[in-house]
Amino acid sequence: MKKTHLLLSASLLTTVLAGCQSEPSIDSTQVADTAQSKQTLIYPATEKGDVVDTYFDTQISDPYRWLEDDLSVDTGNWVKAQNKVTFDYLNDIPYRQKLKERLTTLWNYEKTSAPFKEGEYTYFYKNDGLQNQYVLFQQKPGQKAEVFLDPNTFSDDGTTSLAGITFSKNGKLAAYQISEGGSDWRKVIIIDVETKQQLEAPLVDIKFSDLSWLENEGFYYSSYDKPKGSELSAKTDQHKLYYHKLGEPQSMDTLVFGGTEQQKRRYVSGEVSKNGRYLVITGAKSTSGNDLFIKDLVHPDAPLVTVLDHTNSDTYMLHGEGDIIYFVTNLDAPNQRLVAVDVNEPAPENWVNIIPEGEHVLTPTYGNDFFFAKYMVDATSQIKQFDITGEFIRNIELPGVGTASSIEGGKDETTLYYSFNNYITASTIYSFDTKSGESSVYNKSGVKFDSADYVSKQVFYTSKDGTKVPMIISHKKGLELDGKNPTILYGYGGFNISLTPRFSVTNAVWMEQGGVYAVANLRGGGEYGKKWHNAGIQMKKQNVFDDFIAAGEYLIEEQYTSNDYLAVRGGSNGGLLVGAVMTQRPDLMKVALPAVGVLDMLRYHTFTAGAGWAYDYGTAEQSKEMFDYLLGYSPVHNVKKGVSYPATLVTTGDHDDRVVPAHSFKFAAELQDKQAGVSPVMIRIETNAGHGAGTPVSKTIEQYADIFGFTLYNMGIKSL
């Protein structure tokens, strides 16, 4: 398992602990005058082009193709014009500033991560309260902790972030990645941990890469050739694995894998085993499934040994001992299993189960010669401890029902750490004694949020085809089920990603004002393993949208909310979810909040690494049947004239090089051109920002003040 210590990303920054004090709740009887919701908005004129594409026997007009050119002056001017309209509107929301102040107050407390050991030092991340980026501290036993890396000094505006750090085997060297403006393209800087001095010129143009050290001599990393044209949107199709030897220029780095047509993969990674003997290489053509190879590093001329010659499973190395490597795999095990593989006989038929597949999804980790099996049970955590042979030792008692982070660490560490939280319980870090199995509070948050004043319960509702889908609903105790509670329904439903309960500053602000926060665990996610994922991909993608629609209908039927007080929200693949549902059922919700969404399903695969998402989506060129299916739900292509769409705030970043902002630009243009109702349809474009990772705290607070303000204002809420 790679020991890459990731700094908290923007998505995690919105789930850090929050405190809340007594504040007046939303009074849904205090609604704004109807004139407020019927004010006339004048949107910027968006020129229509005459681009037409032919798919099989169908011609598709793409009038806003010009907005895909992120380098053009016209696109830049369009962004400025849209932001002016949007921010003029947001500035008129009477309680926008109050929401910003409340978010700022709740965010302003010290937050500290669990410690981790590297060489002679212990490290941890800390944020004093409102620092834009977390600071990494270094501490020797018995000495005071000192600042090791402070990303807040990387740029004046806080938009350059620490995207991960990996230490050499003896802990004396470190290589850390930085992201500028939220970009997926990274620089790698190598330093001496004693002196903190940079040892050589930074490595540049690195993307979607872990770093794996070979002793203390160098490390493996992955990247694409720098694209021609726009770095933001140009297609990147062939990932390559390199070895960088310290002291040599990057131009001399050795190409290890991915340099031939036979080795062409969209995603490649390499990891060195603990003893430095073996290099494990994974290659993938999509975001799901990988093949697998092993190289003996003791003999430089040793060939790559194929372990898996297909991409029918997700398989990765967890740990290694001598010639035995432990892999986590869903090969013949949709809920995953842990297997031991002898490198001398690595074929799957020789694999030995250490922790076999069970009823629930398994995510194992390693520490102190134990395996810790974290199981996901209806989207919540359970953890069991096993010895290295797979013999069960004990169940680990968790503080409640929620999400526990993984328990992991080095071979000689007898004290390990994990955190626990849920939607209404602030995160606490626990120390865990591997011998006794006892947990103790290591660092409890100092926030004043009192979970006793809130309730979070799981329900199971029925989707369109009869499938039972779980959803967790959180709100203040004593909530009156009168259908008038402002509610945010959040979902994702894709890429085998699971939504598990996590506490968040932003959700705390929403709930303390009387809002309901509901999270549906839709098909397409990983909550119930690979089968649940596959039930929401390609020609089954509509299942995801049906699950989300059914969740909204459940909340309305049970009187948590009503059509006039329901908002739907999701980001990235979740932005697609919102875009598809609001075009299929515009009557269901009052407000739609698609963030950094994949919204043009006919062209998503032509940008950056988008073609790698085809496992989940399929592509328009794949077949006539697949094209017709994508066209049937693609949000950009399903905005219709004469339809009253809900109040919509599309959000994106102008430097998003994962889901390029053209998706959001084109969707907003279509909505503004065709909206028949009086509700505003606008776009908020964050400048010098990407897909979300590394977003400064100050920008995050502003974003959520705008999102919540827009939502409540368009629900007719007059005051807070």
Side-chain angles (χ1 to χ4, degrees):
M1 180 181 59
K2 297 181 180 71
K3 294 187 73 175
T4 300
H5 301 285
L6 297 175
L7 183 62
L8 295 177
S9 67
S11 60
L12 290 180
L13 283 174
T14 62
T15 59
V16 293
L17 310 180
C20 76
Q21 302 164 0
S22 178
E23 283 284 324
S25 297
I26 296 164
D27 182 353
S28 60
T29 63
Q30 294 183 340
V31 295
D33 295 336
T34 55
Q36 169 188 293
S37 62
K38 292 185 178 180
Q39 58 185 316
T40 301
L41 283 169
I42 300 176
Y43 301 111
T46 305
E47 181 182 349
K48 293 183 181 181
D50 56 5
V51 175
V52 176
D53 294 316
T54 300
Y55 296 87
F56 302 97
D57 57 352
T58 305
Q59 289 189 321
I60 302 295
S61 176
D62 193 358
Y64 304 117
R65 177 73 60 87
W66 63 273
L67 286 171
E68 294 179 1
D69 185 357
D70 57 277
L71 298 179
S72 79
V73 173
D74 288 342
T75 300
N77 289 337
W78 184 88
V79 168
K80 292 176 184 177
Q82 289 287 344
N83 268 346
K84 184 179 188 313
V85 170
T86 299
F87 284 103
D88 284 350
Y89 179 91
L90 294 171
N91 285 333
D92 285 340
I93 295 175
Y95 38 77
R96 177 190 183 214
Q97 184 60 30
K98 183 177 182 179
L99 285 167
K100 181 178 177 181
E101 290 171 358
R102 189 70 186 136
L103 282 160
T104 301
T105 298
L106 291 180
W107 225 296
N108 192 13
Y109 63 93
E110 184 179 282
K111 311 162 195 67
T112 305
S113 76
F116 57 93
K117 294 182 179 179
E118 294 289 349
E120 300 177 10
Y121 294 98
T122 296
Y123 296 85
F124 60 91
Y125 291 102
K126 188 176 78 169
N127 190 308
D128 289 341
L130 294 173
Q131 290 175 290
N132 277 322
Q133 305 289 343
Y134 275 65
V135 178
L136 181 59
F137 283 79
Q138 179 192 65
Q139 185 174 23
K140 267 190 175 180
Q143 297 183 14
K144 185 179 179 180
E146 298 180 348
V147 172
F148 184 63
L149 288 173
D150 184 358
N152 297 291
T153 65
F154 292 175
S155 61
D156 292 337
D157 61 359
T159 59
T160 299
S161 61
L162 177 61
I165 185 167
T166 309
F167 292 83
S168 63
K169 187 175 180 180
N170 62 7
K172 294 184 179 296
L173 304 174
Y176 66 91
Q177 301 187 49
I178 63 171
S179 169
E180 296 169 308
S183 174
D184 282 332
W185 290 98
R186 306 288 164 78
K187 292 179 180 176
V188 173
I189 299 170
I190 306 160
I191 58 174
D192 182 296
V193 301
E194 291 282 351
T195 66
K196 303 181 183 65
Q197 294 298 306
Q198 185 174 327
L199 299 180
E200 56 183 64
L203 277 63
V204 297
D205 300 333
I206 293 173
K207 188 172 184 177
F208 298 155
S209 179
D210 289 313
L211 309 177
S212 187
W213 284 85
L214 178 60
E215 299 295 337
N216 308 298
E217 302 168 0
F219 54 83
Y220 294 89
Y221 69 91
S222 307
S223 194
Y224 303 92
D225 293 336
K226 196 68 175 288
K228 296 178 181 179
S230 170
E231 181 179 306
L232 173 64
S233 59
K235 191 172 183 178
T236 48
D237 202 34
Q238 186 168 2
H239 217 199
K240 298 177 181 179
L241 178 66
Y242 294 91
Y243 175 71
H244 175 72
K245 186 175 182 180
L246 295 186
E248 293 187 351
Q250 187 177 0
S251 60
M252 294 182 63
D253 288 354
T254 303
L255 177 61
V256 178
F257 188 90
T260 66
E261 189 63 29
Q262 184 181 10
Q263 293 181 346
K264 187 174 182 179
R265 305 288 190 277
R266 289 193 176 93
Y267 309 106
V268 173
S269 68
E271 181 178 2
V272 179
S273 61
K274 295 288 185 184
N275 58 8
R277 174 71 186 268
Y278 299 104
L279 173 67
V280 176
I281 299 173
T282 61
K285 298 178 180 179
S286 186
T287 51
S288 182
N290 63 271
D291 46 20
L292 187 66
F293 310 90
I294 296 176
K295 181 176 176 61
D296 187 338
L297 295 175
V298 174
H299 302 95
D301 297 328
L304 281 180
V305 175
T306 300
V307 181
L308 289 173
D309 60 0
H310 58 78
T311 58
N312 298 333
S313 70
D314 301 284
T315 303
Y316 63 91
M317 178 168 63
L318 174 63
H319 180 63
E321 293 280 351
D323 286 347
I324 302 298
I325 297 178
Y326 297 88
F327 287 102
V328 181
T329 183
N330 59 15
L331 182 65
D332 301 322
N335 288 340
Q336 298 201 145
R337 57 185 172 132
L338 178 66
V339 297
V341 178
D342 187 329
V343 296
N344 300 301
E345 297 180 312
E349 57 266 25
N350 299 319
W351 294 0
V352 176
N353 280 339
I354 300 299
I355 304 177
E357 181 190 25
E359 180 184 359
H360 305 292
V361 179
L362 164 70
T363 304
T365 53
Y366 169 86
N368 193 221
D369 249 4
F370 296 100
F371 291 120
F372 297 92
K374 184 167 76 169
Y375 292 96
M376 187 161 42
V377 182
D378 296 329
T380 65
S381 299
Q382 292 181 3
I383 302 180
K384 301 177 184 291
Q385 184 177 358
F386 295 84
D387 71 12
I388 199 73
T389 68
E391 183 177 344
F392 173 76
I393 295 176
R394 61 173 64 91
N395 292 309
I396 296 174
E397 185 176 352
L398 298 177
V401 178
T403 301
S405 65
S406 297
I407 301 176
E408 57 188 326
K411 185 179 181 68
D412 300 322
E413 298 175 40
T414 58
T415 300
L416 306 177
Y417 300 88
Y418 67 94
S419 63
F420 179 85
N421 69 148
N422 57 38
Y423 291 120
I424 62 171
T425 304
S427 182
T428 295
I429 297 172
Y430 293 85
S431 62
F432 175 78
D433 187 296
T434 61
K435 306 303 180 185
S436 69
E438 295 295 321
S439 294
S440 303
V441 173
Y442 175 79
N443 186 8
K444 186 175 183 179
S445 171
V447 299
K448 298 177 181 179
F449 183 87
D450 188 355
S451 62
D453 294 335
Y454 294 80
V455 62
S456 186
K457 71 174 184 178
Q458 187 172 63
V459 300
F460 291 83
Y461 64 90
T462 304
S463 191
K464 183 177 180 180
D465 64 356
T467 300
K468 293 292 185 181
V469 181
M471 175 167 58
I472 297 180
I473 307 170
S474 306
H475 54 79
K476 274 185 176 179
K477 285 184 176 178
L479 184 81
E480 186 176 354
L481 299 183
D482 59 1
K484 295 182 179 181
N485 302 300
T487 298
I488 291 178
L489 171 61
Y490 185 86
Y492 188 79
F495 295 91
N496 207 33
I497 290 173
S498 304
L499 299 183
T500 59
R502 295 187 183 279
F503 193 82
S504 123
V505 170
T506 55
N507 293 343
V509 169
W510 182 257
M511 289 189 294
E512 75 170 8
Q513 300 298 324
V516 175
Y517 184 69
V519 178
N521 297 109
L522 315 172
R523 281 175 284 185
E527 289 86 349
Y528 295 102
K530 195 64 177 175
K531 292 180 180 178
W532 193 251
H533 175 206
N534 287 343
I537 65 172
Q538 296 196 28
M539 303 292 284
K540 297 179 181 178
K541 190 67 178 175
Q542 185 61 40
N543 285 339
V544 185
F545 312 142
D546 290 342
D547 289 354
F548 202 51
I549 290 168
E553 291 174 337
Y554 176 92
L555 292 167
I556 293 168
E557 289 167 3
E558 296 297 318
Q559 291 286 292
Y560 282 97
T561 190
S562 62
N563 305 94
D564 288 334
Y565 294 97
L566 177 63
V568 292
R569 176 164 167 76
S572 195
N573 174 73
L576 162 62
L577 171 71
V578 172
V581 168
M582 67 174 283
T583 51
Q584 292 181 13
R585 284 290 307 278
D587 61 307
L588 180 64
M589 74 292 295
K590 187 69 173 179
V591 179
L593 303 165
V596 294
V598 187
L599 298 162
D600 183 344
M601 299 310 296
L602 302 187
R603 287 181 55 76
Y604 79 87
H605 60 291
T606 65
F607 305 109
T608 62
W613 310 335
Y615 181 91
D616 265 59
Y617 298 147
T619 69
E621 288 90 6
Q622 182 175 322
S623 67
K624 176 67 163 58
E625 186 182 27
M626 193 72 248
F627 159 71
D628 287 338
Y629 193 87
L630 289 168
L631 182 62
Y633 74 79
S634 177
V636 164
H637 300 92
N638 282 278
V639 181
K640 308 297 183 185
K641 279 279 190 185
V643 175
S644 294
Y645 289 101
T648 304
L649 183 62
V650 181
T651 53
T652 190
D654 68 344
H655 281 70
D656 189 342
D657 51 3
R658 191 173 307 178
V659 179
V660 295
H663 285 277
S664 295
F665 294 174
K666 292 162 79 171
F667 188 54
E670 290 284 356
L671 285 170
Q672 290 175 358
D673 179 57
K674 297 175 179 175
Q675 168 71 306
V678 297
S679 296
V681 286
M682 51 185 54
I683 184 168
R684 184 190 190 280
I685 306 156
E686 190 71 63
T687 57
N688 200 25
H691 198 58
T695 301
V697 166
S698 57
K699 283 182 178 285
T700 302
I701 288 173
E702 291 173 356
Q703 289 169 5
Y704 275 91
D706 290 346
I707 289 166
F708 289 165
F710 179 89
T711 300
L712 295 170
Y713 194 57
N714 282 284
M715 289 176 175
I717 304 301
K718 189 174 182 178
S719 65
L720 300 183

